[in-house]
Amino acid sequence: MSEAIRFLPPRQAVLSRRAAIISDLADLLPADCLVHEPRELVPFETDAFISYRRLPLAVVLPKTTAQVAAVMKYCHRYGVPVVPRGAGTSLSGGAIPQEDAIVLGLSRMSRILEVDYANRTAIVQAGVTNLSISETVAIDGFFYAPDPSSQLACTIGGNIGMNSGGAHCLKYGVTTNNLLGVKMVLVDGTVIELGGKHLDSAGYDLLGLVCGSEGQLGIVTEATVRLLAKPEGARPVLFGFDTSEAAGACVADIIGSGIIPVAIEFMDKPAIEICEAFAQAGYPLDVDALLIVEVEGSEAEMDAMLADIVEIARRHGVKTVRECQSAMEAALIWKGRKSAFGATGRIADYICMDGTVPLGKLSYVLNRTAEIVERFGLRVANVFHAGDGNMHPLILFNANDPEDAARAEEAGNEILKLCVDAGGCLTGEHGVGIEKRDLMRHQYADADLDQQMAVRSAFDEGWILNPSKVFPLDGRPAA
Amino acid sequence: MSEAIRFLPPRQAVLSRRAAIISDLADLLPADCLVHEPRELVPFETDAFISYRRLPLAVVLPKTTAQVAAVMKYCHRYGVPVVPRGAGTSLSGGAIPQEDAIVLGLSRMSRILEVDYANRTAIVQAGVTNLSISETVAIDGFFYAPDPSSQLACTIGGNIGMNSGGAHCLKYGVTTNNLLGVKMVLVDGTVIELGGKHLDSAGYDLLGLVCGSEGQLGIVTEATVRLLAKPEGARPVLFGFDTSEAAGACVADIIGSGIIPVAIEFMDKPAIEICEAFAQAGYPLDVDALLIVEVEGSEAEMDAMLADIVEIARRHGVKTVRECQSAMEAALIWKGRKSAFGATGRIADYICMDGTVPLGKLSYVLNRTAEIVERFGLRVANVFHAGDGNMHPLILFNANDPEDAARAEEAGNEILKLCVDAGGCLTGEHGVGIEKRDLMRHQYADADLDQQMAVRSAFDEGWILNPSKVFPLDGRPAA
């Protein structure tokens, strides 16, 4: 590795630096772990937040923690930015590269290393997909709880980076509530272990800090996750209302009464129509708002909990209550909900916001969202995790019309600011990434943000890990 | 405030510095918020870990966040160490002062500011006692879940500092799982807010980091906590076994089967005898190990869960199963358990370890603990949160015999190392404090500890907040 790469004249330096880095990486890794041909780099140029594209300098796909450590040691020494990547399903641009950065993909580290039912834990490599954990332990009656819509593809490493949620996190919590430990490579290649199979840990909760830090504090290569026993049964029920206000107030009352169903999903009229047209889920079309409430447990437990929920819904003038009569119907109800994004994509381009608000503000924020979108001459469909107050307004627009796209972005920003002003926050489960970095000043006072950035610098003084994400671009404190 | 205090000759400087600090603090605070007469400082010289005593330089008892901020701004400017203190119930010495430090007590900030059932949250000042939160909302059918044995006295601020647990955290989690937000004064007096009523937060999880950081990252002055609905009913059941191995294996099997009772407490024969003699709780005296398993829910739910648990216990040869027949009996069962420390204190001096191990290792660690204690010629009683693997061996000794005390301390250290070596950790809920700071190198590799200390420095470069705790005394990186 040549120190000389830093001191060449600019243009030549860029070219030579790239060549030197690739050559050095080739010394560190087996040939099949390094991607640098421009054609082969294309799959890594963006993620599910498709507003930006940029070819990375190179992609490394290590197979072991030791290889990750070797790459980080090298990149730290030469100041090469590193963008960690799971499956590239980020909705906020968390895995989007930049041209002077290498992408460090964890997809080759996809083994389940241990399942331990006595401690209800599994140890998995970071590139394991979310769903494959549950699939592996299903035969023994267990599952891994967080269930992002992308769970078929997304990896546990990405879930940890974004502290991912899902429809069922109302009862089971998000990733941080189901993560017990990680093995992590620090920026300089040092390997540390945080947490483990035991309750809590002595000293600071660095594990909690790492969860949701969007790959900026280190590269997680292994995770110890909690397994839960599958409930005896589960039953989704549809509740149709004449107004979104009534549905929103009903959600706040269910939660306020202390009942915690597994999931409470909300769909407004546009979302109902879009999903029903796509999935024929049997959703009622004569209502303005729909709640999917899922309860679980024994038949007696589900009956008792549902009776309480139905009574609350009646107080809010529920129009339709539909319990499903079979496993097939239940699956259809969830198919409709989980295909919402794809079904919306069939009829328009859209951006999906991820603002989260206190439950008492659901109706207020829904109304104000409608006003904002109307003012920009756009349409919106709302389909979201209502029990958590985690809203997902889908703003529909025409991506081929740059003015329309700009209006959609502006409307989205106003909606997120509205969520913050209502006592909520910018993101429930999708992360900040590139998408929301400039809104962070709306969420946080300078002192709050400065402290977050100081913590980042305590892990990565040079800010080479997943640069240009999370914090405003002008945010970095002077060196 | 005079800059000159730093430049006086040593002896005179110490005296004058103390006088100058007290005089300056008197300018910052109302007269009734400052304690500096030696006689009045005595109540602050130690906490529930009574092995160390030291009078602090002074005690401040601010009534507002602004006063806390003013004190911190001053102490930061002049490098005065600050030891935050709740109710002084720390079992690890977390609130023990040092002579050059002021104690910042939060006991005057003890108001409940808001109860919000729609969001199931309460906003409280840091000096509110743990139990008073539950008492305030009990009439509406809610409670605050973490329940340390000291809950009548201990404060929510101290609970946050130590990430406190309790018998019922098996189901409900520890403090970090029930904390939604804090208002915190940074070392330089800046006030920041972390989290809030909404799910998750954008950016790093500083809230999770602060929880359990033992007062070293800032002074929490307000907390937003989660309220839960009280279950319909709760029922503790006694399971007596002929051996600790059988009881330990039974616990692992209950948890391994996916059942999560509210609590699984374990008592060995010495603990049973000590508690029964004190509380007449009706514990069986013809068994070698006792489990108190509490289930909750409707009568039908409790019956169903208990049937499963009894079946598992029978597979492990349970000798006695005793369901309580009345609320009075239930209260007695818990009275016996919760008085374990006090009852032990009647017959001997003791130190209580707090090591936590994976459930599969319970029996192994119990056996090895017995061997260690016997080798030191001491006795031990075990009474602990078995469902969490959170062990509390009480090592009995004679505090008037310095050699006996030294042997007890050495045995305790060996037991904690044993827990770490078995895949567990030094502390489940009592914190590191002074007690376990020198054992942190046994738990953590240098790289792990260095990263924790770097995070501390990112909040408090001068390490003036709760100094000499958590990290080994030789641990601080060179400036």
Side-chain angles (χ1 to χ4, degrees), chain A residues 119 142 202 204 216 359 444 448, chain B residues 119 202 204 216 256 359 444 452:
Chain A
N119 284 301
F142 287 83
Y204 297 164
Q216 295 187 324
L359 283 189
Y444 291 107
D448 300 289
Chain B
N119 284 302
Y204 297 161
Q216 296 189 324
L359 283 190
Y444 291 107
Q452 291 194 38

Side-chain angles (χ1 to χ4, degrees), chain B residues 13-298:
Chain B
V14 169
L15 289 174
S16 302
R17 182 175 158 90
R18 177 169 189 273
I21 291 169
I22 290 171
S23 160
D24 288 342
L25 290 172
D27 289 345
L28 293 174
L29 296 169
D32 64 336
C33 294
L34 177 63
V35 177
H36 59 86
E37 292 296 337
R39 196 170 27 88
E40 294 175 344
L41 292 177
V42 171
F44 300 94
E45 70 177 357
T46 189
D47 60 16
F49 178 67
I50 51 168
S51 304
Y52 294 75
R53 293 174 189 274
R54 192 66 55 94
L55 284 187
L57 188 154
V59 175
V60 294
L61 300 167
K63 295 172 180 170
T64 66
T65 298
Q67 288 173 355
V68 174
V71 169
M72 286 315 306
K73 189 175 172 190
Y74 172 80
C75 290
H76 179 248
R77 184 167 176 195
Y78 293 103
V80 182
V82 177
V83 177
R85 183 183 181 99
T89 55
S90 172
L91 288 163
S92 63
I96 290 181
Q98 48 187 62
E99 60 196 349
D100 63 345
I102 65 160
V103 164
L104 194 160
L106 279 305
S107 55
R108 298 265 171 88
M109 296 185 68
S110 58
R111 283 191 304 137
I112 292 180
L113 303 174
E114 184 197 286
V115 171
D116 173 356
Y117 292 124
N119 284 302
R120 289 193 297 113
T121 54
I123 302 179
V124 303
Q125 290 184 314
V128 160
T129 64
N130 173 295
L131 190 61
S132 68
I133 303 174
S134 289
E135 284 178 345
T136 300
V137 298
I139 192 169
D140 298 306
F142 287 83
F143 71 110
Y144 172 67
D147 61 337
S149 292
S150 58
Q151 66 185 133
L152 190 66
C154 67
T155 66
I156 195 75
N159 291 177
I160 293 168
M162 292 310 191
N163 191 19
S164 304
H168 292 76
C169 65
L170 174 59
K171 177 168 175 184
Y172 294 117
V174 292
T175 301
T176 196
N177 307 113
N178 293 277
L179 180 70
L180 296 171
V182 295
K183 181 179 284 187
M184 184 170 89
V185 180
L186 294 177
V187 71
D188 65 356
T190 310
V191 179
I192 68 173
E193 302 210 20
L194 303 173
K197 288 185 186 178
H198 47 73
L199 171 82
D200 202 18
S201 277
Y204 297 161
D205 182 13
L206 295 194
L207 180 63
L209 177 67
V210 164
C211 196
S213 62
E214 308 202 9
Q216 296 189 324
L217 306 185
I219 311 286
V220 169
T221 59
E222 287 179 23
T224 304
V225 299
R226 183 178 293 296
L227 302 176
L228 295 174
K230 277 194 286 193
E232 219 171 297
R235 210 190 294 163
V237 180
L238 299 177
F239 293 85
F241 293 85
D242 272 335
T243 66
S244 286
E245 282 83 356
C250 179
V251 172
D253 254 18
I254 292 171
I255 301 294
S257 76
I259 303 171
I260 305 184
V262 197
I264 306 183
E265 299 289 301
F266 182 111
M267 302 171 90
D268 67 3
K269 196 167 187 70
I272 299 168
E273 286 171 355
I274 290 167
C275 293
E276 181 62 18
F278 179 82
Q280 284 92 49
Y283 296 160
L285 293 171
D286 61 339
V287 298
D288 258 32
L290 187 67
L291 298 180
I292 305 172
V293 181
E294 182 159 281
V295 295
E296 64 178 28
S298 66

